Amino acid sequence: MKAEYDLSSMKSRPNPYAARLKKPITMRLGEDVLNYFKEMASETGVPYQTLINLYLRDCMANKRTIDIRWD
């Protein structure tokens, strides 16, 4: 193996997965909701933000809707 490589002749190319990258957002969640996902995260070893994303993705895939009435 060489100690040093010349990469100046390499051509760059766009990331083919760029469209699938996650977008950072700010979201306000109830403390009880956040604690629920954090507890689940500690039990499963999956980060809580990933669990929230998986739950929302499941809702999207199953076209779940919610009926909110402010009567």
Short mmCIF file of all heavy atoms in Angstrom, two decimals:
data_model
loop_
_atom_site.label_atom_id
_atom_site.label_comp_id
_atom_site.label_asym_id
_atom_site.label_seq_id
_atom_site.Cartn_x
_atom_site.Cartn_y
_atom_site.Cartn_z
N MET A 1 0.85 -1.17 0.00
CA MET A 1 0.00 0.00 0.00
C MET A 1 0.89 1.24 0.00
O MET A 1 1.88 1.30 0.70
CB MET A 1 -0.91 0.00 1.23
CG MET A 1 -1.81 1.16 1.23
SD MET A 1 -3.40 1.10 2.04
CE MET A 1 -3.15 0.67 3.69
N LYS A 2 0.50 2.22 -0.81
CA LYS A 2 1.25 3.46 -0.90
C LYS A 2 1.06 4.28 0.37
O LYS A 2 0.02 4.22 1.01
CB LYS A 2 0.79 4.28 -2.09
CG LYS A 2 1.09 3.64 -3.43
CD LYS A 2 0.63 4.58 -4.54
CE LYS A 2 0.88 3.96 -5.88
NZ LYS A 2 0.46 4.85 -6.97
N ALA A 3 2.05 5.08 0.67
CA ALA A 3 1.94 5.98 1.82
C ALA A 3 1.06 7.17 1.48
O ALA A 3 0.45 7.77 2.36
CB ALA A 3 3.32 6.44 2.25
N GLU A 4 1.00 7.50 0.19
CA GLU A 4 0.23 8.67 -0.25
C GLU A 4 -0.38 8.38 -1.61
O GLU A 4 0.22 7.75 -2.45
CB GLU A 4 1.17 9.87 -0.35
CG GLU A 4 0.49 11.19 -0.13
CD GLU A 4 1.51 12.31 -0.05
OE1 GLU A 4 2.30 12.34 0.90
OE2 GLU A 4 1.48 13.14 -0.97
N TYR A 5 -1.60 8.86 -1.84
CA TYR A 5 -2.30 8.67 -3.11
C TYR A 5 -2.63 10.02 -3.73
O TYR A 5 -2.97 10.96 -3.03
CB TYR A 5 -3.60 7.88 -2.91
CG TYR A 5 -3.36 6.44 -2.53
CD1 TYR A 5 -3.25 6.07 -1.20
CD2 TYR A 5 -3.27 5.46 -3.50
CE1 TYR A 5 -3.03 4.75 -0.84
CE2 TYR A 5 -3.06 4.13 -3.16
CZ TYR A 5 -2.94 3.79 -1.83
OH TYR A 5 -2.73 2.48 -1.48
N ASP A 6 -2.55 10.09 -5.07
CA ASP A 6 -2.92 11.31 -5.79
C ASP A 6 -4.37 11.18 -6.25
O ASP A 6 -4.67 10.40 -7.14
CB ASP A 6 -1.99 11.53 -6.98
CG ASP A 6 -2.33 12.77 -7.77
OD1 ASP A 6 -3.02 13.65 -7.23
OD2 ASP A 6 -1.90 12.87 -8.93
N LEU A 7 -5.26 11.93 -5.62
CA LEU A 7 -6.68 11.86 -5.94
C LEU A 7 -7.13 13.03 -6.81
O LEU A 7 -8.32 13.19 -7.07
CB LEU A 7 -7.50 11.83 -4.65
CG LEU A 7 -7.17 10.70 -3.68
CD1 LEU A 7 -8.01 10.83 -2.43
CD2 LEU A 7 -7.36 9.35 -4.32
N SER A 8 -6.21 13.84 -7.29
CA SER A 8 -6.56 15.04 -8.04
C SER A 8 -7.20 14.73 -9.39
O SER A 8 -7.94 15.53 -9.94
CB SER A 8 -5.34 15.93 -8.25
OG SER A 8 -4.35 15.23 -9.00
N SER A 9 -6.94 13.56 -9.95
CA SER A 9 -7.50 13.22 -11.26
C SER A 9 -8.87 12.54 -11.15
O SER A 9 -9.51 12.27 -12.17
CB SER A 9 -6.54 12.31 -12.01
OG SER A 9 -6.37 11.10 -11.31
N MET A 10 -9.33 12.30 -9.93
CA MET A 10 -10.64 11.65 -9.76
C MET A 10 -11.77 12.63 -10.07
O MET A 10 -11.68 13.81 -9.78
CB MET A 10 -10.79 11.14 -8.33
CG MET A 10 -9.93 9.95 -8.03
SD MET A 10 -10.28 9.27 -6.39
CE MET A 10 -11.92 8.64 -6.64
N LYS A 11 -12.81 12.11 -10.68
CA LYS A 11 -13.99 12.91 -10.98
C LYS A 11 -15.02 12.73 -9.87
O LYS A 11 -15.23 11.61 -9.39
CB LYS A 11 -14.60 12.50 -12.31
CG LYS A 11 -13.69 12.74 -13.50
CD LYS A 11 -14.35 12.28 -14.78
CE LYS A 11 -13.39 12.48 -15.94
NZ LYS A 11 -13.95 11.98 -17.18
N SER A 12 -15.65 13.82 -9.46
CA SER A 12 -16.68 13.70 -8.44
C SER A 12 -18.01 13.34 -9.10
O SER A 12 -18.22 13.60 -10.29
CB SER A 12 -16.82 15.00 -7.66
OG SER A 12 -17.27 16.02 -8.50
N ARG A 13 -18.89 12.77 -8.33
CA ARG A 13 -20.22 12.45 -8.84
C ARG A 13 -21.22 12.70 -7.73
O ARG A 13 -20.90 12.63 -6.55
CB ARG A 13 -20.29 11.01 -9.33
CG ARG A 13 -19.97 9.99 -8.29
CD ARG A 13 -19.96 8.60 -8.88
NE ARG A 13 -19.55 7.67 -7.83
CZ ARG A 13 -19.93 6.44 -7.75
NH1 ARG A 13 -20.72 5.93 -8.68
NH2 ARG A 13 -19.52 5.67 -6.78
N PRO A 14 -22.46 12.98 -8.11
CA PRO A 14 -23.47 13.27 -7.08
C PRO A 14 -23.80 12.01 -6.27
O PRO A 14 -23.71 10.89 -6.76
CB PRO A 14 -24.68 13.74 -7.89
CG PRO A 14 -24.46 13.25 -9.26
CD PRO A 14 -22.98 13.11 -9.45
N ASN A 15 -24.20 12.25 -5.05
CA ASN A 15 -24.59 11.16 -4.16
C ASN A 15 -25.91 10.56 -4.65
O ASN A 15 -26.92 11.25 -4.69
CB ASN A 15 -24.75 11.71 -2.73
CG ASN A 15 -25.10 10.63 -1.74
OD1 ASN A 15 -25.46 9.52 -2.09
ND2 ASN A 15 -25.02 10.98 -0.47
N PRO A 16 -25.93 9.26 -5.02
CA PRO A 16 -27.17 8.66 -5.52
C PRO A 16 -28.25 8.52 -4.44
O PRO A 16 -29.41 8.31 -4.75
CB PRO A 16 -26.73 7.29 -6.03
CG PRO A 16 -25.48 7.00 -5.27
CD PRO A 16 -24.83 8.32 -4.99
N TYR A 17 -27.87 8.64 -3.19
CA TYR A 17 -28.81 8.49 -2.09
C TYR A 17 -29.26 9.84 -1.51
O TYR A 17 -29.97 9.87 -0.51
CB TYR A 17 -28.20 7.64 -0.97
CG TYR A 17 -27.77 6.29 -1.46
CD1 TYR A 17 -26.44 6.00 -1.70
CD2 TYR A 17 -28.71 5.30 -1.72
CE1 TYR A 17 -26.05 4.76 -2.17
CE2 TYR A 17 -28.33 4.05 -2.19
CZ TYR A 17 -27.00 3.79 -2.41
OH TYR A 17 -26.62 2.56 -2.88
N ALA A 18 -28.88 10.93 -2.13
CA ALA A 18 -29.16 12.26 -1.60
C ALA A 18 -30.66 12.50 -1.42
O ALA A 18 -31.07 13.15 -0.47
CB ALA A 18 -28.57 13.34 -2.49
N ALA A 19 -31.48 11.97 -2.29
CA ALA A 19 -32.92 12.16 -2.19
C ALA A 19 -33.51 11.44 -0.98
O ALA A 19 -34.58 11.78 -0.51
CB ALA A 19 -33.61 11.68 -3.47
N ARG A 20 -32.82 10.44 -0.47
CA ARG A 20 -33.32 9.65 0.64
C ARG A 20 -32.76 10.10 1.99
O ARG A 20 -33.08 9.50 3.01
CB ARG A 20 -32.98 8.19 0.42
CG ARG A 20 -33.64 7.63 -0.84
CD ARG A 20 -33.41 6.18 -0.95
NE ARG A 20 -34.08 5.55 0.18
CZ ARG A 20 -34.59 4.34 0.15
NH1 ARG A 20 -34.52 3.64 -0.93
NH2 ARG A 20 -35.16 3.83 1.21
N LEU A 21 -31.91 11.11 1.98
CA LEU A 21 -31.33 11.58 3.23
C LEU A 21 -32.40 12.20 4.12
O LEU A 21 -33.40 12.73 3.64
CB LEU A 21 -30.22 12.60 2.96
CG LEU A 21 -29.00 12.07 2.23
CD1 LEU A 21 -28.02 13.20 1.95
CD2 LEU A 21 -28.32 10.97 3.03
N LYS A 22 -32.17 12.17 5.40
CA LYS A 22 -33.13 12.75 6.34
C LYS A 22 -32.88 14.24 6.47
O LYS A 22 -31.75 14.71 6.36
CB LYS A 22 -32.99 12.08 7.70
CG LYS A 22 -33.40 10.62 7.66
CD LYS A 22 -33.22 9.97 8.99
CE LYS A 22 -33.61 8.51 8.92
NZ LYS A 22 -33.37 7.84 10.19
N LYS A 23 -33.93 14.97 6.70
CA LYS A 23 -33.86 16.42 6.83
C LYS A 23 -34.03 16.79 8.30
O LYS A 23 -35.01 16.40 8.93
CB LYS A 23 -34.95 17.07 6.00
CG LYS A 23 -34.92 18.57 6.05
CD LYS A 23 -35.97 19.17 5.16
CE LYS A 23 -35.88 20.67 5.24
NZ LYS A 23 -36.77 21.32 4.32
N PRO A 24 -33.09 17.55 8.85
CA PRO A 24 -33.25 17.95 10.25
C PRO A 24 -34.34 19.00 10.39
O PRO A 24 -34.46 19.91 9.58
CB PRO A 24 -31.88 18.54 10.61
CG PRO A 24 -31.27 18.93 9.32
CD PRO A 24 -31.85 18.02 8.27
N ILE A 25 -35.18 18.83 11.42
CA ILE A 25 -36.27 19.77 11.70
C ILE A 25 -36.33 20.03 13.19
O ILE A 25 -35.73 19.32 13.99
CB ILE A 25 -37.64 19.24 11.22
CG1 ILE A 25 -38.02 17.97 11.99
CG2 ILE A 25 -37.65 18.99 9.72
CD1 ILE A 25 -39.47 17.61 11.86
N THR A 26 -37.09 21.04 13.57
CA THR A 26 -37.38 21.28 14.97
C THR A 26 -38.85 20.95 15.19
O THR A 26 -39.70 21.36 14.40
CB THR A 26 -37.12 22.76 15.33
OG1 THR A 26 -35.75 23.05 15.06
CG2 THR A 26 -37.43 23.04 16.78
N MET A 27 -39.12 20.21 16.24
CA MET A 27 -40.48 19.75 16.48
C MET A 27 -40.77 19.83 17.97
O MET A 27 -39.95 19.45 18.79
CB MET A 27 -40.57 18.30 16.00
CG MET A 27 -41.88 17.69 15.99
SD MET A 27 -41.66 16.02 15.35
CE MET A 27 -43.17 15.82 14.52
N ARG A 28 -41.93 20.32 18.32
CA ARG A 28 -42.32 20.39 19.73
C ARG A 28 -43.19 19.18 20.06
O ARG A 28 -44.24 18.98 19.46
CB ARG A 28 -43.08 21.68 20.00
CG ARG A 28 -42.22 22.91 19.82
CD ARG A 28 -42.99 24.13 20.29
NE ARG A 28 -42.25 25.33 20.05
CZ ARG A 28 -41.30 25.81 20.85
NH1 ARG A 28 -40.98 25.16 21.94
NH2 ARG A 28 -40.66 26.91 20.56
N LEU A 29 -42.72 18.37 21.01
CA LEU A 29 -43.44 17.17 21.44
C LEU A 29 -43.74 17.29 22.92
O LEU A 29 -42.97 17.89 23.67
CB LEU A 29 -42.59 15.92 21.19
CG LEU A 29 -42.17 15.63 19.76
CD1 LEU A 29 -41.22 14.46 19.73
CD2 LEU A 29 -43.38 15.37 18.89
N GLY A 30 -44.84 16.68 23.33
CA GLY A 30 -45.15 16.64 24.75
C GLY A 30 -44.09 15.83 25.48
O GLY A 30 -43.52 14.87 24.94
N GLU A 31 -43.82 16.22 26.72
CA GLU A 31 -42.80 15.52 27.50
C GLU A 31 -43.14 14.05 27.68
O GLU A 31 -42.26 13.19 27.61
CB GLU A 31 -42.65 16.20 28.86
CG GLU A 31 -41.45 15.71 29.64
CD GLU A 31 -41.21 16.49 30.91
OE1 GLU A 31 -41.82 17.56 31.09
OE2 GLU A 31 -40.41 16.02 31.72
N ASP A 32 -44.43 13.74 27.84
CA ASP A 32 -44.84 12.35 27.99
C ASP A 32 -44.59 11.54 26.72
O ASP A 32 -44.18 10.38 26.78
CB ASP A 32 -46.30 12.25 28.42
CG ASP A 32 -47.26 12.96 27.46
OD1 ASP A 32 -46.82 13.86 26.71
OD2 ASP A 32 -48.47 12.64 27.48
N VAL A 33 -44.81 12.16 25.57
CA VAL A 33 -44.56 11.49 24.29
C VAL A 33 -43.08 11.22 24.12
O VAL A 33 -42.66 10.11 23.75
CB VAL A 33 -45.10 12.34 23.11
CG1 VAL A 33 -44.71 11.73 21.77
CG2 VAL A 33 -46.61 12.49 23.21
N LEU A 34 -42.28 12.23 24.41
CA LEU A 34 -40.83 12.09 24.28
C LEU A 34 -40.31 11.01 25.24
O LEU A 34 -39.49 10.17 24.84
CB LEU A 34 -40.15 13.43 24.55
CG LEU A 34 -38.68 13.51 24.23
CD1 LEU A 34 -38.40 13.15 22.78
CD2 LEU A 34 -38.17 14.91 24.53
N ASN A 35 -40.79 11.02 26.47
CA ASN A 35 -40.37 9.99 27.44
C ASN A 35 -40.77 8.59 26.99
O ASN A 35 -40.02 7.63 27.19
CB ASN A 35 -40.94 10.29 28.83
CG ASN A 35 -40.28 11.48 29.47
OD1 ASN A 35 -39.14 11.83 29.14
ND2 ASN A 35 -40.97 12.12 30.39
N TYR A 36 -41.95 8.48 26.38
CA TYR A 36 -42.41 7.18 25.86
C TYR A 36 -41.41 6.63 24.84
O TYR A 36 -40.99 5.47 24.92
CB TYR A 36 -43.80 7.34 25.24
CG TYR A 36 -44.30 6.11 24.52
CD1 TYR A 36 -44.86 5.06 25.23
CD2 TYR A 36 -44.21 6.01 23.14
CE1 TYR A 36 -45.32 3.92 24.59
CE2 TYR A 36 -44.67 4.87 22.48
CZ TYR A 36 -45.22 3.84 23.20
OH TYR A 36 -45.66 2.72 22.56
N PHE A 37 -41.03 7.46 23.88
CA PHE A 37 -40.10 7.00 22.83
C PHE A 37 -38.69 6.80 23.38
O PHE A 37 -37.98 5.89 22.95
CB PHE A 37 -40.11 7.96 21.64
CG PHE A 37 -41.29 7.75 20.73
CD1 PHE A 37 -42.39 8.59 20.79
CD2 PHE A 37 -41.32 6.70 19.83
CE1 PHE A 37 -43.49 8.40 19.96
CE2 PHE A 37 -42.41 6.49 19.00
CZ PHE A 37 -43.49 7.33 19.07
N LYS A 38 -38.28 7.62 24.34
CA LYS A 38 -36.95 7.44 24.93
C LYS A 38 -36.89 6.14 25.73
O LYS A 38 -35.87 5.44 25.71
CB LYS A 38 -36.59 8.63 25.81
CG LYS A 38 -36.17 9.84 24.99
CD LYS A 38 -35.67 10.96 25.88
CE LYS A 38 -35.13 12.11 25.05
NZ LYS A 38 -34.56 13.17 25.88
N GLU A 39 -37.97 5.81 26.44
CA GLU A 39 -38.01 4.55 27.18
C GLU A 39 -37.98 3.37 26.22
O GLU A 39 -37.26 2.39 26.44
CB GLU A 39 -39.28 4.50 28.03
CG GLU A 39 -39.35 3.29 28.93
CD GLU A 39 -40.59 3.31 29.81
OE1 GLU A 39 -40.90 4.38 30.37
OE2 GLU A 39 -41.23 2.24 29.92
N MET A 40 -38.75 3.45 25.15
CA MET A 40 -38.74 2.39 24.14
C MET A 40 -37.35 2.27 23.51
O MET A 40 -36.88 1.16 23.23
CB MET A 40 -39.79 2.69 23.05
CG MET A 40 -40.05 1.51 22.13
SD MET A 40 -41.18 1.87 20.76
CE MET A 40 -42.57 2.58 21.59
N ALA A 41 -36.68 3.40 23.33
CA ALA A 41 -35.34 3.40 22.75
C ALA A 41 -34.36 2.68 23.66
O ALA A 41 -33.52 1.89 23.19
CB ALA A 41 -34.87 4.83 22.50
N SER A 42 -34.46 2.91 24.96
CA SER A 42 -33.54 2.25 25.89
C SER A 42 -33.81 0.74 25.95
O SER A 42 -32.89 -0.04 26.14
CB SER A 42 -33.62 2.87 27.27
OG SER A 42 -34.86 2.62 27.87
N GLU A 43 -35.06 0.34 25.76
CA GLU A 43 -35.41 -1.09 25.77
C GLU A 43 -34.94 -1.80 24.51
O GLU A 43 -34.53 -2.96 24.56
CB GLU A 43 -36.91 -1.27 25.91
CG GLU A 43 -37.46 -0.84 27.26
CD GLU A 43 -38.98 -0.82 27.30
OE1 GLU A 43 -39.63 -1.17 26.28
OE2 GLU A 43 -39.53 -0.45 28.35
N THR A 44 -35.03 -1.11 23.37
CA THR A 44 -34.72 -1.76 22.10
C THR A 44 -33.30 -1.50 21.60
O THR A 44 -32.81 -2.23 20.74
CB THR A 44 -35.69 -1.27 21.00
OG1 THR A 44 -35.53 0.14 20.84
CG2 THR A 44 -37.12 -1.61 21.35
N GLY A 45 -32.66 -0.44 22.11
CA GLY A 45 -31.33 -0.09 21.62
C GLY A 45 -31.37 0.70 20.32
O GLY A 45 -30.35 0.91 19.68
N VAL A 46 -32.56 1.15 19.94
CA VAL A 46 -32.73 1.96 18.73
C VAL A 46 -32.90 3.41 19.16
O VAL A 46 -33.68 3.68 20.07
CB VAL A 46 -33.98 1.49 17.93
CG1 VAL A 46 -34.19 2.35 16.70
CG2 VAL A 46 -33.85 0.03 17.54
N PRO A 47 -32.18 4.35 18.54
CA PRO A 47 -32.32 5.76 18.95
C PRO A 47 -33.77 6.24 18.87
O PRO A 47 -34.51 5.85 17.96
CB PRO A 47 -31.45 6.50 17.95
CG PRO A 47 -30.46 5.49 17.47
CD PRO A 47 -31.20 4.18 17.48
N TYR A 48 -34.16 7.07 19.83
CA TYR A 48 -35.57 7.50 19.91
C TYR A 48 -36.02 8.27 18.67
O TYR A 48 -37.16 8.16 18.24
CB TYR A 48 -35.85 8.29 21.18
CG TYR A 48 -35.33 9.71 21.21
CD1 TYR A 48 -36.14 10.78 20.84
CD2 TYR A 48 -34.03 9.99 21.61
CE1 TYR A 48 -35.67 12.07 20.87
CE2 TYR A 48 -33.56 11.27 21.64
CZ TYR A 48 -34.37 12.32 21.27
OH TYR A 48 -33.91 13.60 21.28
N GLN A 49 -35.13 9.05 18.06
CA GLN A 49 -35.51 9.78 16.85
C GLN A 49 -35.79 8.82 15.71
O GLN A 49 -36.70 9.03 14.91
CB GLN A 49 -34.43 10.78 16.47
CG GLN A 49 -34.32 11.93 17.45
CD GLN A 49 -33.19 12.87 17.12
OE1 GLN A 49 -32.20 12.49 16.48
NE2 GLN A 49 -33.32 14.11 17.55
N THR A 50 -35.04 7.73 15.65
CA THR A 50 -35.28 6.70 14.64
C THR A 50 -36.63 6.03 14.88
O THR A 50 -37.38 5.76 13.93
CB THR A 50 -34.15 5.66 14.66
OG1 THR A 50 -32.92 6.32 14.39
CG2 THR A 50 -34.37 4.57 13.62
N LEU A 51 -36.96 5.77 16.14
CA LEU A 51 -38.25 5.16 16.46
C LEU A 51 -39.41 6.07 16.06
O LEU A 51 -40.41 5.60 15.51
CB LEU A 51 -38.34 4.84 17.95
CG LEU A 51 -37.45 3.70 18.44
CD1 LEU A 51 -37.55 3.58 19.95
CD2 LEU A 51 -37.83 2.40 17.77
N ILE A 52 -39.28 7.36 16.35
CA ILE A 52 -40.32 8.31 15.95
C ILE A 52 -40.46 8.33 14.43
O ILE A 52 -41.56 8.30 13.89
CB ILE A 52 -40.03 9.71 16.51
CG1 ILE A 52 -40.12 9.70 18.04
CG2 ILE A 52 -40.97 10.75 15.91
CD1 ILE A 52 -39.62 10.97 18.71
N ASN A 53 -39.33 8.32 13.72
CA ASN A 53 -39.36 8.31 12.25
C ASN A 53 -40.02 7.03 11.73
O ASN A 53 -40.84 7.08 10.81
CB ASN A 53 -37.95 8.46 11.69
CG ASN A 53 -37.94 8.68 10.21
OD1 ASN A 53 -38.54 9.63 9.71
ND2 ASN A 53 -37.28 7.81 9.48
N LEU A 54 -39.70 5.90 12.34
CA LEU A 54 -40.31 4.63 11.92
C LEU A 54 -41.81 4.63 12.16
O LEU A 54 -42.58 4.15 11.32
CB LEU A 54 -39.66 3.46 12.68
CG LEU A 54 -38.24 3.09 12.28
CD1 LEU A 54 -37.66 2.09 13.26
CD2 LEU A 54 -38.21 2.54 10.87
N TYR A 55 -42.24 5.18 13.29
CA TYR A 55 -43.67 5.24 13.60
C TYR A 55 -44.39 6.13 12.58
O TYR A 55 -45.44 5.77 12.05
CB TYR A 55 -43.90 5.76 15.01
CG TYR A 55 -45.36 5.79 15.38
CD1 TYR A 55 -46.02 4.63 15.73
CD2 TYR A 55 -46.08 6.97 15.32
CE1 TYR A 55 -47.37 4.65 16.05
CE2 TYR A 55 -47.43 7.00 15.63
CZ TYR A 55 -48.06 5.84 15.99
OH TYR A 55 -49.40 5.86 16.28
N LEU A 56 -43.84 7.29 12.31
CA LEU A 56 -44.46 8.20 11.34
C LEU A 56 -44.46 7.60 9.93
O LEU A 56 -45.43 7.75 9.19
CB LEU A 56 -43.76 9.56 11.36
CG LEU A 56 -43.91 10.35 12.65
CD1 LEU A 56 -43.04 11.60 12.60
CD2 LEU A 56 -45.36 10.70 12.91
N ARG A 57 -43.38 6.88 9.58
CA ARG A 57 -43.31 6.22 8.27
C ARG A 57 -44.40 5.14 8.16
O ARG A 57 -45.04 4.99 7.12
CB ARG A 57 -41.93 5.62 8.05
CG ARG A 57 -41.75 4.99 6.67
CD ARG A 57 -40.36 4.45 6.47
NE ARG A 57 -39.35 5.49 6.59
CZ ARG A 57 -39.03 6.36 5.64
NH1 ARG A 57 -39.67 6.33 4.50
NH2 ARG A 57 -38.09 7.25 5.83
N ASP A 58 -44.64 4.41 9.26
CA ASP A 58 -45.69 3.39 9.27
C ASP A 58 -47.06 4.03 9.10
O ASP A 58 -47.90 3.52 8.36
CB ASP A 58 -45.63 2.60 10.58
CG ASP A 58 -46.67 1.50 10.63
OD1 ASP A 58 -46.60 0.57 9.81
OD2 ASP A 58 -47.57 1.59 11.49
N CYS A 59 -47.28 5.17 9.77
CA CYS A 59 -48.54 5.89 9.61
C CYS A 59 -48.73 6.32 8.16
O CYS A 59 -49.82 6.22 7.60
CB CYS A 59 -48.58 7.12 10.52
SG CYS A 59 -48.73 6.73 12.26
N MET A 60 -47.66 6.81 7.55
CA MET A 60 -47.72 7.26 6.17
C MET A 60 -48.00 6.08 5.23
O MET A 60 -48.85 6.17 4.35
CB MET A 60 -46.39 7.92 5.80
CG MET A 60 -46.32 8.47 4.39
SD MET A 60 -44.70 9.18 4.01
CE MET A 60 -43.69 7.71 3.91
N ALA A 61 -47.28 4.97 5.44
CA ALA A 61 -47.43 3.80 4.57
C ALA A 61 -48.84 3.21 4.64
O ALA A 61 -49.36 2.73 3.63
CB ALA A 61 -46.40 2.74 4.93
N ASN A 62 -49.44 3.27 5.82
CA ASN A 62 -50.78 2.73 6.01
C ASN A 62 -51.87 3.78 5.85
O ASN A 62 -53.04 3.51 6.15
CB ASN A 62 -50.88 2.04 7.37
CG ASN A 62 -50.03 0.80 7.41
OD1 ASN A 62 -50.26 -0.14 6.66
ND2 ASN A 62 -49.02 0.79 8.26
N LYS A 63 -51.48 4.97 5.43
CA LYS A 63 -52.40 6.08 5.18
C LYS A 63 -53.33 6.33 6.38
O LYS A 63 -54.53 6.54 6.23
CB LYS A 63 -53.19 5.86 3.91
CG LYS A 63 -52.31 5.76 2.67
CD LYS A 63 -53.13 5.74 1.42
CE LYS A 63 -52.34 5.55 0.15
NZ LYS A 63 -51.04 6.01 0.04
N ARG A 64 -52.74 6.30 7.56
CA ARG A 64 -53.53 6.56 8.77
C ARG A 64 -53.89 8.04 8.83
O ARG A 64 -53.11 8.90 8.49
CB ARG A 64 -52.73 6.19 10.02
CG ARG A 64 -52.59 4.72 10.19
CD ARG A 64 -52.14 4.38 11.60
NE ARG A 64 -52.01 2.95 11.72
CZ ARG A 64 -50.86 2.32 11.75
NH1 ARG A 64 -49.73 2.97 11.70
NH2 ARG A 64 -50.83 1.01 11.85
N THR A 65 -55.09 8.28 9.27
CA THR A 65 -55.54 9.68 9.47
C THR A 65 -56.05 9.82 10.88
O THR A 65 -56.29 8.83 11.58
CB THR A 65 -56.67 10.04 8.47
OG1 THR A 65 -57.76 9.17 8.69
CG2 THR A 65 -56.20 9.94 7.04
N ILE A 66 -56.26 11.03 11.29
CA ILE A 66 -56.74 11.31 12.65
C ILE A 66 -57.90 12.28 12.54
O ILE A 66 -57.88 13.20 11.72
CB ILE A 66 -55.62 11.84 13.55
CG1 ILE A 66 -56.09 11.93 14.98
CG2 ILE A 66 -55.09 13.15 13.06
CD1 ILE A 66 -54.96 12.16 15.98
N ASP A 67 -58.90 12.05 13.34
CA ASP A 67 -60.07 12.93 13.36
C ASP A 67 -59.95 13.82 14.59
O ASP A 67 -60.15 13.36 15.71
CB ASP A 67 -61.35 12.10 13.39
CG ASP A 67 -62.59 12.96 13.37
OD1 ASP A 67 -62.49 14.16 13.05
OD2 ASP A 67 -63.67 12.43 13.67
N ILE A 68 -59.59 15.06 14.41
CA ILE A 68 -59.42 16.00 15.52
C ILE A 68 -60.58 16.98 15.48
O ILE A 68 -60.79 17.70 14.49
CB ILE A 68 -58.09 16.75 15.42
CG1 ILE A 68 -56.94 15.78 15.47
CG2 ILE A 68 -57.99 17.78 16.53
CD1 ILE A 68 -55.58 16.42 15.30
N ARG A 69 -61.31 17.01 16.55
CA ARG A 69 -62.44 17.95 16.66
C ARG A 69 -62.21 18.82 17.87
O ARG A 69 -61.94 18.33 18.97
CB ARG A 69 -63.75 17.20 16.80
CG ARG A 69 -64.04 16.41 15.56
CD ARG A 69 -65.37 15.76 15.61
NE ARG A 69 -65.48 14.92 14.43
CZ ARG A 69 -66.39 14.02 14.27
NH1 ARG A 69 -67.29 13.82 15.19
NH2 ARG A 69 -66.44 13.30 13.17
N TRP A 70 -62.30 20.11 17.68
CA TRP A 70 -62.06 21.07 18.76
C TRP A 70 -63.39 21.62 19.27
O TRP A 70 -63.55 22.81 19.47
CB TRP A 70 -61.17 22.19 18.28
CG TRP A 70 -59.84 21.71 17.82
CD1 TRP A 70 -59.45 21.46 16.55
CD2 TRP A 70 -58.70 21.39 18.64
NE1 TRP A 70 -58.15 21.00 16.52
CE2 TRP A 70 -57.67 20.96 17.79
CE3 TRP A 70 -58.47 21.43 20.01
CZ2 TRP A 70 -56.43 20.57 18.26
CZ3 TRP A 70 -57.21 21.03 20.47
CH2 TRP A 70 -56.23 20.62 19.60
N ASP A 71 -64.37 20.74 19.50
CA ASP A 71 -65.69 21.16 19.97
C ASP A 71 -65.66 21.54 21.44
O ASP A 71 -65.09 20.97 22.26
CB ASP A 71 -66.72 20.07 19.75
CG ASP A 71 -66.90 19.75 18.28
OD1 ASP A 71 -66.55 20.60 17.44
OD2 ASP A 71 -67.37 18.65 17.97
#
